[in-house]
Amino acid sequence: MPELPEVENIIRQLQKEITGYQISSVDIRLPKIIRNSRKTFLQALLKASINDVRRRGKLLIFELSSGYCLLIHLKISGQLFLVNKAEPADKHTHIVIGFKGRKAQLRYRDVRQFGYMKVVAVKALGKILNDELGKDYLEVSYDEFKEAISGRKKNIKSFLLDQKIFAGLGNIYACEALYQAGIHPKSNTAGLKARKIKRLFFAIEDILREAIRLGGSSVDDYYMPDKSTGSYQEVHKVYKRENEPCPICKTPISRKKTASRSTYFCPRCQKIAS
DNA sequence: GTCGATGTTATCAA
DNA sequence: TTTGATAACATCGA
């Protein structure tokens, strides 16, 4: 589900709401979500306080007072809700974390069950992040972006989606950024002229910041921990808009598979770079 | 009932 | 190096 802007909105709420809280209970209703042994996971969490909540790309990072970090990846359908413990939880709620002296509890809900939680020692975190994730898209400079593109011969959309190069973009924002930059999704990085690379970089910055401001894109079932929704989906120019007119030239938006993902684009405004 | 699609990513074969 | 297919799973709509 969530890409960088959605995860950013989630962590902003959690940071405000649960920083400083002490974990008093952990209910593992679906063990496969946890990528540690039950024992390790509980030892890291129980009685620990939440020192900080942050993220890198789409990965949420809770820093705990136990010397461990809790990593959460929501994948496609993961959700985090902060709700009163008296409210009933449905069958898709897999992990429930309770806090000392608090009525609110943190619930992990995930219909498709692809997401995960795992704890790692704080000392090991840096290495794990650097091995598995590139720099967050909000921290990438134009020079770094240009250099990463120039050094590769790769389909541009796969490039944008590759979390090891830079982290945070998913299918929605990759489509929107390519549209705004006027680049065909089947273009190769090697064929992009400097001007297009620049346009793409600033399109990404622009779109991410505006999407964060609007609370992210609520397509299907994205919610923030307080169950409010984002509104950036109303601003989407191409994503999920097959056959609707391009806002610039009125040509119907196409949908094709690229990198085995549905890709929406304007066949007239987005030409293949060669 | 069946088929295809869904915001992600790890893995494997070519 | 890069790609494409597949799998993990549940649900929805045609």
Side-chain angles (χ1 to χ4, degrees):
Chain A
M1 159 184 62
E3 306 180 25
L4 186 153
E6 291 76 34
V7 176
E8 177 68 20
N9 275 284
I10 291 169
I11 62 151
R12 282 183 188 180
Q13 278 198 1
L14 292 180
Q15 184 156 53
K16 203 169 359 165
E17 298 295 331
I18 64 171
T19 302
Y21 280 25
Q22 189 187 4
I23 296 171
S24 59
S25 66
V26 177
D27 183 8
I28 303 173
R29 300 160 53 132
L30 184 65
K32 74 165 187 179
I33 298 294
I34 308 296
R35 301 292 167 86
N36 307 95
S37 71
R38 182 184 183 85
K39 190 177 159 203
T40 304
F41 190 74
L42 293 178
Q43 271 177 357
L45 264 67
L46 282 173
K47 299 213 166 88
S49 296
I50 296 178
N51 288 343
D52 192 21
V53 180
R54 55 199 172 84
R55 64 161 190 88
R56 170 120 154 226
K58 309 170 193 170
L59 184 68
L60 292 99
I61 304 166
F62 290 25
E63 256 180 50
L64 305 175
S65 62
S66 58
Y68 284 86
C69 285
L70 170 62
L71 306 182
I72 305 177
H73 202 301
L74 303 170
K75 292 285 185 88
I76 289 183
S77 59
Q79 302 168 317
L80 286 169
F81 291 118
L82 208 51
V83 295
N84 190 301
K85 57 187 168 192
E87 266 185 53
D90 74 352
K91 65 172 179 174
H92 299 298
T93 300
H94 305 311
I95 310 289
V96 180
I97 296 175
F99 304 101
K100 190 178 170 190
R102 302 285 168 170
K103 282 185 183 155
Q105 56 183 201
L106 185 66
R107 293 182 183 171
Y108 177 77
R109 182 172 185 273
D110 190 348
V111 171
R112 294 178 69 181
Q113 309 177 6
F114 293 168
Y116 66 82
M117 288 193 185
K118 82 178 162 190
V119 295
V120 300
V122 172
K123 281 192 290 187
L125 181 68
K127 183 173 162 44
I128 291 172
L129 290 185
N130 287 331
D131 287 354
E132 295 174 12
L133 283 179
K135 224 176 197 190
D136 189 89
Y137 258 111
L138 291 186
E139 289 172 0
V140 176
S141 71
Y142 173 59
D143 285 343
E144 287 170 320
F145 185 72
K146 191 172 60 174
E147 194 173 319
I149 284 195
S150 314
R152 287 185 174 79
K153 282 186 188 156
K154 193 176 165 78
N155 166 269
I156 187 62
K157 193 175 177 219
S158 316
F159 173 91
L160 296 176
L161 293 177
D162 188 336
Q163 305 297 305
K164 285 196 175 114
I165 304 175
F166 298 122
L169 288 189
N171 206 26
I172 295 177
Y173 297 103
C175 289
E176 294 294 321
L178 287 170
Y179 172 77
Q180 190 167 315
I183 296 170
H184 193 288
K186 298 249 193 231
S187 298
N188 195 288
T189 50
L192 292 178
K193 301 220 165 60
R195 203 177 67 85
K196 286 282 187 183
I197 297 175
K198 193 167 211 166
R199 252 180 97 178
L200 179 57
F201 177 76
F202 289 103
I204 292 169
E205 295 276 292
D206 234 44
I207 288 169
L208 290 179
R209 287 182 196 285
E210 182 64 1
I212 289 170
R213 197 178 69 75
L214 292 180
S217 301
S218 285
V219 179
D220 291 345
D221 59 1
Y222 160 71
Y223 296 94
M224 281 174 256
D226 66 1
K227 303 204 172 158
S228 58
T229 55
S231 60
Y232 193 76
Q233 68 283 0
E234 293 162 21
V235 187
H236 291 171
K237 304 286 197 297
V238 291
Y239 185 77
K240 285 247 169 117
R241 296 205 184 282
E242 186 180 15
N243 295 326
E244 290 181 38
C246 163
I248 297 170
C249 73
K250 310 298 178 210
T251 304
I253 298 300
S254 307
R255 176 167 69 128
K256 287 213 170 95
K257 291 263 178 190
T258 308
S260 57
R261 311 288 302 279
S262 267
T263 300
Y264 300 84
F265 64 102
C266 170
R268 178 148 173 218
C269 295
Q270 294 170 260
K271 296 292 185 198
I272 295 193
S274 54

